[in-house]
Amino acid sequence: TLDARDFLSQGISGENDLAVIRAKCTAALLDDERIFSATVGSGYSYSTRVLELSVEGTGASGPFSLVLAVSSLTVELLAAS
């Protein structure tokens, strides 16, 4: 299980951290047998301290995409299809 809020508590200092976040999120998704493929994008706003994660993938129910905004307190679903 992965809690994306943990990334914020560990600190994000640049692209290397974002690459690690993308890799960990992708691995967590692919650990689910219902997910066949997944691509994760990430961005971080230093002014608002919000991590944005975008996911595109294919699962047992077909293709899916979603965008999440992650703060230290919440994970908000911004878009899903």
Side-chain angles (χ1 to χ4, degrees):
T1 304
L2 179 77
D3 186 338
R5 296 171 297 173
D6 291 341
F7 298 130
L8 297 172
S9 65
Q10 296 167 5
I12 298 172
S13 60
E15 182 56 38
N16 287 341
D17 290 334
L18 291 173
V20 169
I21 289 168
R22 288 190 297 271
K24 287 183 177 183
C25 290
T26 300
L29 286 162
L30 295 176
D31 278 346
D32 186 324
E33 62 189 28
R34 299 168 294 175
I35 306 296
F36 305 137
S37 67
T39 302
V40 177
S42 62
Y44 182 68
S45 169
Y46 292 95
S47 61
T48 61
R49 296 182 180 169
V50 171
L51 172 65
E52 185 172 293
L53 298 172
S54 60
V55 180
E56 292 189 10
T58 304
S61 298
F64 66 91
S65 65
L66 50 101
V67 179
L68 305 170
V70 182
S71 75
S72 60
L73 298 176
T74 64
V75 177
E76 180 181 359
L77 180 63
L78 300 178
S81 63

